[in-house]
Amino acid sequence: MTSFKYYVGASIDGFVADQSGDTHWLRPFTELPGYQTDLREFFDTIGAVVIGGKTYDTIVRDINEGHLQWPFGKKPVWIFTHHELPSLPDTNLTFIRGEISFWSRDIAKSAGAGDVWLVGGADLAGGFIEAGILDELTVVTVPVFLGGGVNIFGRGANAQLSELKIRELGDDVFASSYAVS
């Protein structure tokens, strides 16, 4: 059965973006060998990807500025958005509007035998919690204190978590995975 998983990097005080919405403070940690290995192992289990419109727009901007290459290969990518967004060549994109629960079956089906990675944004992740669809949360915690910004779920969502595993990725970076109930 396909699981919906939110794998996200966060500051030690629980923010995924700073007060201006920027995530570039996280970039140096994503280059650590331990992080790269953990993400690659996670990505190998993924059959489809879900992204919010703001996150997708940031990825497109970084690609256009030459800072990033399309990170999801040929996997189907579902983008929840309320705005018209540009498409990218050689990608498998589906732009959608509406309720998460309405689209979750189609998204899961597109993942084939793999799981679904909820990349972000935080508000979309909160929506998956509220809809009761998120199965697993992995937070890669980095040794940065932001003091404010966008929290992991971006809204007042709540859920009970059960520890699955905690991994040290090097340089005081930890990945903590939890089952969401």
Side-chain angles (χ1 to χ4, degrees), residues 30-68:
T30 64
E31 297 170 8
L32 295 173
Y35 174 86
Q36 288 292 317
T37 298
D38 194 68
L39 182 60
R40 189 172 28 261
E41 289 172 1
F42 172 80
F43 190 71
D44 288 346
T45 70
I46 298 303
V49 175
V50 175
I51 307 175
K54 289 179 193 174
T55 300
Y56 173 77
D57 199 39
T58 299
I59 291 170
V60 170
R61 184 191 68 227
D62 286 350
I63 289 170
N64 289 337
E65 292 176 358
H67 303 296
L68 182 69

Side-chain angles (χ1 to χ4, degrees), residues 6-15 25-26 29-30 32-36 38-39 137-144 152 163 165-178:
Y6 183 31
Y7 184 106
V8 63
S11 64
I12 195 76
D13 52 346
F15 296 104
W25 55 270
L26 184 61
F29 299 99
T30 64
L32 295 173
Y35 174 86
Q36 288 292 317
D38 194 68
L39 182 60
L137 165 66
T138 296
V139 180
V140 177
T141 307
V142 302
V144 171
I152 292 172
E163 180 187 325
K165 61 184 171 179
I166 297 176
R167 301 162 314 282
E168 184 176 358
L169 306 182
D171 290 358
D172 299 321
V173 176
F174 294 87
S176 305
S177 296
Y178 303 91

Side-chain angles (χ1 to χ4, degrees), residues 1-7 42 104 108 114-118 125 128-138 153 159-164 177-181:
M1 185 168 127
T2 299
S3 292
F4 285 79
K5 299 178 176 184
Y6 183 31
Y7 184 106
F42 172 80
S104 63
D115 291 322
V116 175
W117 179 14
L118 174 57
F128 271 80
I129 285 277
E130 290 174 346
I133 296 171
L134 189 64
D135 299 300
E136 187 176 309
L137 165 66
T138 296
F153 289 107
Q160 182 67 41
L161 305 176
S162 302
E163 180 187 325
L164 294 174
S177 296
Y178 303 91
V180 180
S181 40

